[in-house]
Amino acid sequence: MTGSASGNFRGISPAEFFYRNRQMAGFENPTQSLYTTVRELVENSLDSCEEARVLPTVDVTIQSELGRTCTVSVSDNGTGVPDENVPNAFGKVLYGNKYSSRQRRGTFGLGVTMAVLYGQISTGTPAVIHTKTAQNEGNEYSVYIDIESNSPIVKSSNPLKRKERGTTVHITLNGDLKRSRERVIEYLRLTGISTPHARITLSLDDTERYTFGGFTKKIPSLPVDSLPHPHAADLELIRRLAAKNPDLRLHEFLVGSFQQLGHKTAEKFLNFIRMDPRATIGSLDREALSYLGNSLRKYDKFGKPSATCLSPVGKESFFNAIRKEFNATVIGYSQRGPLEWDGFPYIVEGVLAISDAFEQSDIPHLFRFANRVPLLYDSTDDVFAKTLKRIPWARYKPPEISGVAIFTHFCSIRVPYSAAGKQSITSVSSITSEILSLYRELGRKLKVFSEGKKRALHSRRKLKEFSRLFNLLAKFSSEVAGVDNIPDTSRMINELFEVDSDV
Amino acid sequence: MSDMSDPIKSLTELGKKILSSIEDGHFPRIEIPARSTENIVFDEQTEQFILGDSRTTRDSSNSKHIRSFMQLMWIASFSKRLLESGRTSSLRDLYYSSEAFGVRFKDQAESDRLLSDLEALIEYPRESLGFFPEEHSSIYGKVIMRYTVKGYEDKEVDLTISPDGLPIGPALLSASPVRTDAKLILAVESGGMFSRLIETRCWERFDCILVHLGGQAPRSTRRLMRRLHDELHLPVKIFTDGDPWGMHIARVIIAGSANAAHIRDLAIPTAEWIGVNADDIVRYNLPCEDMNNRDLKRLDELSKDSRYLSDDWQSAIESFRRLRKKAEQQAFSRFGIDFVVDEYLPTKIQ
Ligand SMILES: Nc1ncnc2c1ncn2[C@@H]1O[C@H](COP(=O)(O)OP(=O)(O)O)[C@@H](O)[C@H]1O
Ligand SMILES: [Mg+2]
């Protein structure tokens, strides 16, 4: 028994793992898979355009054949993929260039490769990538994944001219366009809100065409990589950093490895935890490193994290996009942060808006975004959705105001998603309390607005009533005076109420 | 109608003034003699209420004033139409007519109040503006009056023409007294007493003109009494129930009311109250009732009223207070139907 049992033990590749657990990454059924494929391709395109510092033009086409087979093509004007990277980028799960410490849409190289994998297992077709960088004229690749070994199989690669720099990816998969159509449209529409400088087109079966975004020509500044915040210093991070420069003295090591840790702070901190600033980091044993990490995480005198690694949408762009997309009245914007959760810098921002296009309900309709990506599924598990229900909206929202929506954007170098499908954010208590404050602030703005509106309505009514009464006064005075024509009073009244005469 | 042409002129001028202000692009303002209690003073010399000097401003650019300003001008236009067509309107009619013009008063008290403003503004009483109160009181006696109203011009009427008395309405009010055999005006509070005095030919016996007040005398009734008093030189006696309310009915005829302080020629300072007072109740041993709280409170109020500051009035109040009883005019019936005429009035009138 024992012998045969030990014979069954073996490691599995990441590709194998996600092949078996593809629901974790958002490929549970044909409907969800089609949506997730579009989403991953578009996210990569936008990330790449950001890198290239261009106004993104992203064209999405979905072609469905014989009911269940769909081909998704997404093309962009981003950086293009360097030839040597193409096989791994598209044919190796968990391979990517976004492990950096700044806000990105993609996370750990699990996006497009899952789509490639799903396409391959559901239709047997390889992914086709046509890409051109600044350095070449363009090439086209067909790529499969060897699932067992998690390595790319390049079926073909040919030079193929491409006019502009950028990438087009085609994936053929088992998808249900009929059922995911709404979601895809909604996702792209909302992407146009959170990335308002991008112009996104969608073409479905050559019959339906949509355009989203393109609300501004301002490219947001590129978030820059930042050193980790000391509160993020777990043992693993400390060990990796220490391994890079084992000869550094402790003081220099801290100053050079972390943000919010200058010479003065380092001195105070090391003095406080009674560690020798001159000890070389390489000489510290596991226990000492662990003590150092714990102390870094607990010490409460480090500054708030810098926000340069983050890219919130910002008030003006957010307002602009929401106004145009939903024909909405934007009521207020509010932002919390930069703060950190477990040492990861984050900002939450929110906009409250009113429009007939929004659901009429007692509590505001919620549009969630994380790192500029709209979150459409799993809202019940989401911290923003859960927290929204804790706000006594009746206190802020008079019943006559309906069609209220809140747009929330969580941006961080690490988003605490509850699953690899990246559809909902888990409750982290420090984040939850910030969301509460954000909602309350927006609520107060709604209240101020509705009171102002009431006042304006009131004064409009007042003007109407005043002018009625004053005209009667003029009429009766004419009668009493025995004069036939009644003088015109509109100019006097408008001046009195300080309204423009042409209103 | 000749005496009505002046109010028409005043109204027209008011209208022109307001209109020209609007034509010049200025929001019209008017100043009305203030009718608030602070501006009502009891004039010791004439022994009646008059308005002081303070004035209230109605500014049509003020959204708090515009409605009542407009309503005032509507009443003015309504009045002008009445006068031009020789018609009259009751106060209640005035109130109900407003609706059709988009004017709308909160209640009749509001339209009554604004009519008073108009009276104060153009210095004509409402009767001259075509408005008469609803409550008609009546008159009976040996007077000949000559009508001036349309259709009755120069017709004469003998005020004994109807055994029920003649209602005091617009026509009678604008009529002028021609001659009389009477030597006295006797005003009585209740209708019952009025009828009794006509039936028992008291008017012959005392040579008096009988006036039925019906509670607080309407202004038109007071106006008519004042006119007969002035033009026929007849003294006025007032006979009321024996309680604070009756006493005050008399006092208002004598000294005027705060409500009508802006109207001159209403009070009759020489008029005399001939009871029933507290002493009468005792002297005649009249059937009476205990005073209730409202009565006693009213006595307190009156004792502080500037019209009651004289010793005589204070002691009249004091007697009621001590007695704590009240009696109606009709209470004399206990001694037989003619007792009032045979016993009470002769003593009081002589
Ligand atoms: N449209 C694109 N333009 C440029 N690079 C791309 C594009 N699509 C994918 N890539 C590269 O492929 C890598 C893997 O993509 P993916 O599997 O989606 O993982 P992630 O986006 O999480 O990094 C990315 O890190 C990126 O370097
Ligand atoms: Mg990706």
Side-chain angles (χ1 to χ4, degrees):
Chain A
M1 270 304 264
T2 30
S4 67
S6 68
N8 283 338
F9 283 106
R10 65 182 178 100
I12 61 167
S13 79
E16 180 86 30
F17 177 81
F18 282 106
Y19 165 57
R20 295 184 187 189
N21 300 288
R22 50 188 178 271
Q23 79 289 346
M24 281 177 62
F27 291 87
E28 185 158 13
N29 53 53
T31 308
Q32 210 190 7
S33 301
L34 178 56
Y35 161 73
T36 306
T37 300
V38 171
R39 188 189 135 134
E40 294 294 352
L41 293 181
V42 169
E43 280 174 29
N44 284 350
S45 288
L46 290 174
D47 273 342
S48 165
C49 290
E50 204 152 274
E51 199 83 11
R53 311 298 304 142
V54 295
L55 282 173
T57 303
V58 177
D59 299 311
V60 181
T61 65
I62 302 174
Q63 206 76 38
S64 65
E65 296 155 35
L66 305 168
R68 287 246 142 161
T69 305
C70 299
T71 301
V72 177
S73 308
V74 175
S75 86
D76 63 58
N77 55 341
T79 55
V81 189
D83 288 318
E84 63 276 20
N85 286 346
V86 173
N88 280 333
F90 294 91
K92 185 180 171 81
V93 174
L94 300 182
Y95 178 93
N97 66 351
K98 301 176 192 171
Y99 298 99
S100 51
S101 301
R102 64 175 152 109
Q103 176 183 332
R104 309 292 297 260
R105 290 174 182 77
T107 46
F108 35 80
L110 184 69
V112 71
T113 34
M114 272 306 292
V116 173
L117 189 143
Y118 179 78
Q120 165 183 334
I121 59 171
S122 64
T123 67
T125 29
V128 176
I129 300 106
H130 183 202
T131 185
K132 167 181 157 37
T133 64
Q135 275 72 45
N136 62 31
E137 291 302 309
N139 293 296
E140 190 180 66
Y141 300 84
S142 294
V143 178
Y144 283 114
I145 301 174
D146 181 332
I147 296 173
E148 271 177 271
S149 67
N150 187 28
S151 57
I153 302 168
V154 178
K155 214 185 125 225
S156 69
S157 75
N158 303 304
L160 179 65
K161 277 216 164 154
R162 193 185 153 95
K163 254 208 231 131
E164 309 284 349
R165 190 181 64 170
T167 307
T168 306
V169 181
H170 309 270
I171 290 176
T172 302
L173 70 154
N174 187 351
D176 189 336
L177 178 57
K178 238 196 199 148
R179 295 172 96 177
S180 65
R181 184 182 157 279
E182 290 281 324
R183 281 285 159 124
V184 167
I185 293 171
E186 175 81 344
Y187 170 79
L188 294 178
R189 177 195 309 285
L190 293 176
T191 301
I193 300 287
S194 54
T195 311
H197 59 294
R199 236 186 99 76
I200 304 164
T201 66
L202 170 66
S203 159
L204 299 175
D205 281 342
D206 285 331
T207 54
E208 286 180 74
R209 290 185 168 280
Y210 303 89
T211 311
F212 306 104
F215 298 122
T216 172
K217 293 220 176 326
K218 222 175 85 196
I219 302 174
S221 56
L222 190 67
V224 293
D225 275 318
S226 62
L227 295 174
H229 190 274
H231 286 167
D234 57 23
L235 181 58
E236 185 56 29
L237 179 71
I238 293 276
R239 283 204 324 150
R240 283 192 204 173
L241 290 169
K244 267 198 244 166
N245 290 298
D247 301 331
L248 280 183
R249 292 178 188 282
L250 192 45
H251 179 96
E252 276 71 37
F253 167 77
L254 290 178
V255 171
S257 306
F258 294 98
Q259 57 165 295
Q260 315 305 327
L261 230 172
H263 289 284
K264 265 204 189 120
T265 316
E267 200 178 305
K268 264 195 212 147
F269 169 70
L270 286 173
N271 186 34
F272 179 72
I273 65 166
R274 295 170 186 283
M275 278 185 90
D276 181 3
R278 283 160 313 181
T280 55
I281 187 77
S283 70
L284 298 180
D285 59 11
R286 204 183 157 84
E287 208 177 318
L289 285 179
S290 165
Y291 172 68
L292 177 63
N294 279 337
S295 307
L296 281 167
R297 284 207 307 280
K298 282 190 208 128
Y299 190 67
D300 59 5
K301 292 197 174 59
F302 298 122
K304 295 238 164 80
S306 112
T308 53
C309 57
L310 302 176
S311 175
V313 178
K315 179 174 171 175
E316 207 181 311
S317 297
F318 228 154
F319 273 11
N320 218 347
I322 293 169
R323 259 193 216 117
K324 288 186 181 148
E325 182 61 55
F326 295 101
N327 191 20
T329 308
V330 289
I331 305 304
Y333 172 89
S334 148
Q335 194 191 79
R336 319 284 306 172
L339 296 150
E340 40 98 5
W341 71 277
D342 283 6
F344 304 114
Y346 75 91
I347 286 175
V348 274
E349 55 179 344
V351 172
L352 190 145
I354 299 180
S355 166
D356 293 338
F358 302 144
E359 215 172 280
Q360 319 279 306
S361 161
D362 288 342
I363 74 168
H365 183 72
L366 184 61
F367 293 98
R368 299 173 292 133
F369 299 87
N371 287 359
R372 292 183 183 259
V373 176
L375 309 182
L376 264 54
Y377 280 97
D378 301 343
S379 69
T380 43
D381 301 335
D382 187 88
V383 61
F384 282 94
K386 281 191 208 154
T387 311
L388 189 75
K389 296 202 183 110
R390 288 172 53 190
I391 300 288
W393 286 104
R395 194 183 295 166
Y396 302 113
K397 187 181 89 63
E400 65 269 18
I401 289 195
S402 56
V404 178
I406 288 183
F407 296 74
T408 57
H409 182 209
F410 181 89
C411 47
S412 177
I413 61 170
R414 172 102 44 105
V415 180
Y417 288 114
S418 32
K422 300 188 291 186
Q423 290 298 335
S424 67
I425 299 174
T426 46
S427 301
V428 174
S429 73
S430 62
I431 297 175
T432 306
S433 69
E434 294 302 326
I435 296 173
L436 273 173
S437 320
L438 182 91
Y439 283 157
R440 287 202 191 99
E441 205 174 309
L442 291 173
R444 283 192 294 274
K445 287 180 180 176
L446 176 60
K447 192 169 179 184
V448 168
F449 167 82
S450 63
E451 276 161 6
K453 196 171 154 168
K454 247 186 253 159
R455 241 177 287 125
L457 193 75
H458 185 73
S459 67
R460 224 177 306 134
R461 274 206 208 114
K462 233 167 112 180
L463 179 135
K464 245 183 97 192
E465 178 63 1
F466 183 91
S467 113
R468 186 183 79 85
L469 297 174
F470 193 75
N471 282 320
L472 282 175
L473 175 70
K475 179 176 163 232
F476 299 144
S477 299
S478 304
E479 281 175 22
V480 175
V483 172
D484 279 341
N485 60 320
I486 303 163
D488 179 43
T489 58
S490 52
R491 232 201 55 204
M492 284 175 78
I493 292 169
N494 284 342
E495 271 172 23
L496 183 69
F497 279 77
E498 294 176 336
V499 294
D500 298 334
S501 309
D502 53 2
V503 169
Chain B
M1 292 302 291
S2 60
D3 64 321
M4 290 293 180
S5 62
D6 280 342
I8 292 182
K9 228 164 94 192
S10 297
L11 288 169
T12 310
E13 258 152 39
L14 174 68
K16 280 188 174 152
K17 216 179 81 191
I18 291 166
L19 207 58
S20 77
S21 170
I22 295 176
E23 276 161 354
D24 293 348
H26 300 305
F27 282 94
R29 291 157 63 102
I30 44 170
E31 284 191 347
I32 302 171
R35 294 186 303 104
S36 57
T37 39
E38 302 90 75
N39 196 39
I40 293 171
V41 288
F42 189 67
D43 185 53
E44 303 283 349
Q45 228 149 31
T46 58
E47 282 191 55
Q48 60 173 298
F49 279 101
I50 54 167
L51 289 188
D53 295 329
S54 96
R55 306 188 142 241
T56 48
T57 302
R58 290 280 157 73
D59 182 346
S60 62
S61 72
N62 184 332
S63 56
K64 290 201 181 81
H65 292 180
I66 179 65
R67 172 182 296 278
S68 58
F69 197 155
M70 175 279 287
Q71 288 169 329
L72 183 82
M73 288 314 291
W74 174 73
I75 296 178
S77 77
F78 194 87
S79 162
K80 197 178 171 196
R81 237 172 302 135
L82 285 177
L83 297 178
E84 282 172 346
S85 59
R87 291 165 168 245
T88 62
S89 157
S90 71
L91 299 184
R92 195 136 194 87
D93 274 339
L94 174 72
Y95 166 61
Y96 281 124
S97 304
S98 63
E99 204 105 338
F101 294 85
V103 173
R104 191 188 295 257
F105 295 98
K106 269 207 297 290
D107 47 28
Q108 196 192 322
E110 187 176 43
S111 58
D112 287 357
R113 198 168 57 242
L114 279 155
L115 178 55
S116 297
D117 279 349
L118 185 63
E119 290 179 302
L121 181 65
I122 68 167
E123 299 185 318
Y124 280 99
R126 62 191 178 204
E127 292 80 9
S128 304
L129 297 173
F131 298 102
F132 294 87
E134 202 80 333
E135 331 90 299
H136 284 161
S137 57
S138 324
I139 188 164
Y140 184 95
K142 288 190 281 186
V143 195
I144 309 295
M145 303 285 286
R146 184 180 295 134
Y147 284 122
T148 62
V149 290
K150 226 191 196 146
Y152 286 80
E153 290 97 337
D154 295 331
K155 272 196 182 153
E156 295 191 349
V157 62
D158 181 340
L159 296 193
T160 56
I161 187 135
S162 159
D164 295 327
L166 269 189
I168 301 174
L172 201 52
L173 208 61
S174 59
S176 31
V178 183
R179 60 182 177 277
T180 185
D181 294 334
K183 299 195 170 62
L184 171 75
I185 298 169
L186 178 61
V188 298
E189 178 176 350
S190 73
M193 183 57 70
F194 180 69
S195 307
R196 168 76 35 86
L197 295 182
I198 296 175
E199 284 160 21
T200 54
R201 304 189 77 81
C202 153
W203 46 280
E204 254 176 5
R205 186 157 164 190
F206 300 114
D207 290 324
C208 65
I209 300 170
L210 293 169
V211 175
H212 169 217
L213 300 172
Q216 269 300 342
R219 266 161 59 181
S220 49
T221 304
R222 287 162 59 201
R223 177 168 304 285
L224 182 63
M225 286 200 290
R226 166 76 187 253
R227 188 151 182 215
L228 296 175
H229 166 78
D230 284 351
E231 295 185 18
L232 303 175
H233 311 289
L234 302 176
V236 175
K237 313 255 177 202
I238 308 151
F239 179 27
T240 68
D241 284 341
D243 57 29
W245 316 93
M247 177 172 70
H248 195 59
I249 287 169
R251 196 70 189 112
V252 166
I253 293 171
I254 301 166
S257 69
N259 279 342
H262 58 291
I263 303 295
R264 276 164 289 137
D265 305 334
L266 266 184
I268 310 171
T270 58
E272 191 193 337
W273 181 43
I274 58 168
V276 177
N277 61 35
D279 297 342
D280 296 330
I281 295 177
V282 178
R283 184 174 316 128
Y284 293 97
N285 192 20
L286 292 176
C288 53
E289 272 179 45
D290 289 339
M291 282 195 181
N292 58 29
N293 282 340
R294 260 185 77 232
D295 299 325
L296 293 168
K297 208 174 140 239
R298 187 69 183 141
L299 283 176
D300 277 349
E301 284 165 12
L302 294 181
S303 71
K304 287 170 206 129
D305 189 304
S306 53
R307 287 166 286 188
Y308 288 83
L309 295 180
S310 73
D311 292 348
D312 290 354
W313 286 104
Q314 285 292 324
S315 82
I317 293 171
E318 198 45 44
S319 305
F320 270 126
R321 268 186 179 154
R322 271 200 308 271
L323 186 63
R324 296 173 82 88
K325 304 256 186 231
K326 58 180 178 181
E328 292 183 352
Q329 292 181 304
Q330 260 86 345
F332 287 107
S333 308
R334 141 178 226 185
F335 308 114
I337 211 130
D338 296 328
F339 183 82
V340 175
V341 184
D342 292 340
E343 297 290 331
Y344 186 75
L345 288 179
T347 349
K348 287 287 183 173
I349 288 172
Q350 252 74 83

